[in-house]
Each structure stands twice: as C-alpha cells, then as structure tokens.
C-alpha cells in the first residue's frame, strides 16, 4: 500500500459528523484524505465500524458493543445526531477505492474470527487498504493466512495507569515480540511516546513509520518530519494539507 502523508483519524469528524460515521467518511473522501477506521464484530457476527468496546461514550448506552446484534445497534444514534453505527460493507461502498483505508482491528472476538470475516469481505474490494492492531496475534493471522495484505503493528508505551492493558501493549512494543509473531509491514507508533530509538528501529527494519494521533498543528508539523504518514484529527483539513506539503530541509 502507498501511504499518503495524512490519514484522517476515524474519518474527518467534527461537530456535525461524529467519529466513525458515514458523514465523517464522506467528508474525508471529499477532501481527498485517507481514512483510519475501527472494526468490531457484533453478537451476530457483523463487521461494524466503531472504536470503543463500550457504547457509552458515543451512544449513551451502558453496554458492550459485542453484546448487541447489528439490528439492535441500528436503533442507536451517534452523539445526538442522525448518524448510526455503520456496517463496514456500507463504508466500503461509499469510499469505493477513492482514498486508502487503514483498518484497525479491535479486541472482543477471539483471534481469527473477525480476521477471517474481514479478509473475506475485503477480497472483492477495489481500493488500497491495510490492517493494523495492538495485538500481534491478530496481525500474525494475516501473516499466516493472507500474507499479501499490508499489515501493521500499533505500538505505544504511553502509560495512563499501570494495568493489564498497558502491560500487554508494553510487551508488544518490543521488536523481538511483534517481529516474531506478526512480521509487520509498517509500524504505527503513539506520538506521545515515540523516541529516536523507535524511529531508528523502524528504519533499520525497512518499515514505514506512521504516527498517531496528531491533534494540533504543532504536533502534526513535527511528526511529518520523521513519519511516513500521520494520523490526525481536530485540525482543519485545508491547514493539515498545507502543513503536509511543506518540504523540510536540513539547515
């Protein structure tokens, strides 16, 4: 996959278009921006585009997304708008190869279940796309079963609190772990914890380095100096494009 300089985080969302909504994806396509999105598997094994395991933040419902069927999810609205949780197939039809897609596989289903359905669905998709995950086992599934698909590791050492979730991410961030299990084609690293060591490791392994998530112009400007692509949000698309077109030269 050819990585563009800019990737819209969960679509090009704003107050009118919630994250991971059809409106946010249409907005990204309109501005010619690649899209990062998240996929979950519902109770009835449908691939839906949604970030959190919990429905609370985006819909106000105190429940886990994997406990709902897709039909039940259609009754929910995203952030007091008319937007609903979309099927991945709906997003694919809308984007239709106009911009690249970066698909993050979320946790919830057993390893291999979501991946197999995603791989099957994407076989007929005419457009550039890739997969990534924090879980090297999920990325490794594509290494074993669909090696032609561009696959990446999401890595972070940013610590909100010392819990099991952080420990898993920390362990996976070591090359000896994710390179052995997943052999990623690219690395997507948390800009809050990126270091020169990370940059050099990616370079030495021949892996493009993606950075996430730039939430202001200053962070985007700095990240574009060492990242192949930067996943961004909360920056006007025209300004983000302007920043990405700046040629950085050594003084």
């Amino acid at each position: 996959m050819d990585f563009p300089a800019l990737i819209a985080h969960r679509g090009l969302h704003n107050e009118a278009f919630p994250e991971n909504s059809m409106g946010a994806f249409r907005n990204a396509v309109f501005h010619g921006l690649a899209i990062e999105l998240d996929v979950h598997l519902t109770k009835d094994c449908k691939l839906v585009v949604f970030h959190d395991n919990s429905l609370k933040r985006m819909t106000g419902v105190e429940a886990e997304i994997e406990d709902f069927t897709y039909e039940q999810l259609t009754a929910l609205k995203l952030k007091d708008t008319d937007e609903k949780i979309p099927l991945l197939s709906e997003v694919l039809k809308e984007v239709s190869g106009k911009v690249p897609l970066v698909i993050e596989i979320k946790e919830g289903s057993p390893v291999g279940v979501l991946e197999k359905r995603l791989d099957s669905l994407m076989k007929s998709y005419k457009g550039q796309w890739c997969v990534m995950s924090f879980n090297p086992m999920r990325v490794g599934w594509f290494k074993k079963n669909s090696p032609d698909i561009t696959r990446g590791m999401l890595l972070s050492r940013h610590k909100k609190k010392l819990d099991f979730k952080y420990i898993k991410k920390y362990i996976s961030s070591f090359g000896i772990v994710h390179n052995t299990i997943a052999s990623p084609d690219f690395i997507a690293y948390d800009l809050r914890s990126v270091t020169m060591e990370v940059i050099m490791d990616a370079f030495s392994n021949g892996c493009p380095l993606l950075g996430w998530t730039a939430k202001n112009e200053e962070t985007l400007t700095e990240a574009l100096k060492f990242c192949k692509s930067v996943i961004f949000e909360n920056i006007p698309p025209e300004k983000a494009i302007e920043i990405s077109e700046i040629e950085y030269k050594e003084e």
Side-chain angles (χ1 to χ4, degrees):
M1 174 172 156
D2 297 324
F3 290 101
L6 298 174
I7 302 171
H9 189 224
R10 306 175 195 170
L12 193 57
H13 56 90
N14 51 35
E15 291 185 2
F17 308 127
E19 65 179 57
N20 280 327
S21 68
M22 294 300 292
F25 300 138
R26 293 188 189 100
N27 197 25
V29 170
F30 176 79
H31 287 90
L33 292 168
I35 294 168
E36 184 271 348
L37 56 82
D38 311 278
V39 291
H40 276 278
L41 206 59
T42 63
K43 186 177 181 179
D44 55 342
C45 293
K46 302 290 186 182
L47 287 167
V48 292
V49 181
F50 196 76
H51 179 269
D52 301 353
N53 289 330
S54 170
L55 293 165
K56 176 65 176 178
R57 181 176 65 90
M58 292 302 296
T59 72
V61 175
E62 289 275 11
E64 299 291 299
I65 191 167
E66 64 183 26
D67 294 330
F68 277 50
T69 65
Y70 174 67
E71 184 177 358
Q72 290 171 323
L73 291 175
T74 61
L76 306 180
K77 301 292 182 64
L78 296 174
K79 287 289 186 181
D80 300 319
T81 69
D82 289 331
E83 296 276 2
K84 298 180 180 181
I85 298 172
L87 288 166
L88 178 58
S89 59
E90 294 176 314
V91 178
L92 297 180
K93 184 176 180 180
E94 180 66 35
V95 176
S96 190
K98 299 181 185 74
V99 296
L101 294 176
V102 179
I103 302 174
E104 179 182 347
I105 301 171
K106 306 301 290 187
E107 294 298 300
S109 60
V111 173
V113 177
L114 186 157
E115 290 77 11
K116 184 175 181 179
R117 284 166 172 76
L118 176 61
D119 188 46
S120 178
L121 175 64
M122 299 303 293
K123 292 293 188 189
S124 59
Y125 183 66
K126 307 298 182 183
Q128 291 195 69
W129 68 281
C130 64
V131 295
M132 63 181 184
S133 174
F134 282 105
N135 187 337
M137 300 298 292
R138 295 189 180 279
V139 181
W141 186 94
F142 282 90
K143 170 188 174 182
K144 178 180 179 181
N145 297 283
S146 201
D148 292 337
I149 302 304
T150 302
R151 58 189 184 273
M153 277 298 307
L154 277 160
L155 302 178
S156 176
R157 293 187 184 178
H158 177 71
K159 183 173 66 174
K160 291 182 179 179
K161 58 181 179 179
L162 185 59
D163 56 11
F164 185 59
K165 183 178 181 181
Y166 168 74
I167 292 172
K168 287 195 300 182
K169 287 183 179 180
Y170 185 80
I171 293 173
S172 295
S173 71
F174 288 93
I176 193 171
V177 177
H178 62 253
N179 286 332
T180 300
I181 299 172
S183 299
D185 299 306
F186 67 93
I187 298 297
Y189 214 96
D190 187 345
L191 290 172
R192 296 170 297 182
S193 59
V194 72
T195 63
M196 184 56 68
E197 178 186 359
V198 169
I199 297 170
M200 295 308 297
D201 282 348
F203 179 78
S204 63
N205 289 329
C207 286
L209 180 65
L210 280 60
W212 56 273
T213 302
K215 298 184 179 182
N216 56 58
E217 295 175 17
E218 180 181 3
T219 302
L220 177 62
T221 301
E222 290 303 309
L224 283 168
K225 293 178 181 180
F226 59 85
C227 291
K228 175 72 173 180
S229 301
V230 178
I231 299 171
F232 79 98
E233 66 180 18
N234 299 334
I235 304 170
E238 295 82 6
K239 186 61 179 180
I241 293 170
E242 177 186 334
I243 292 171
S244 73
E245 291 175 345
I246 295 174
E247 294 184 6
Y248 295 100
K249 298 179 180 179
E250 294 185 1
E251 296 183 356

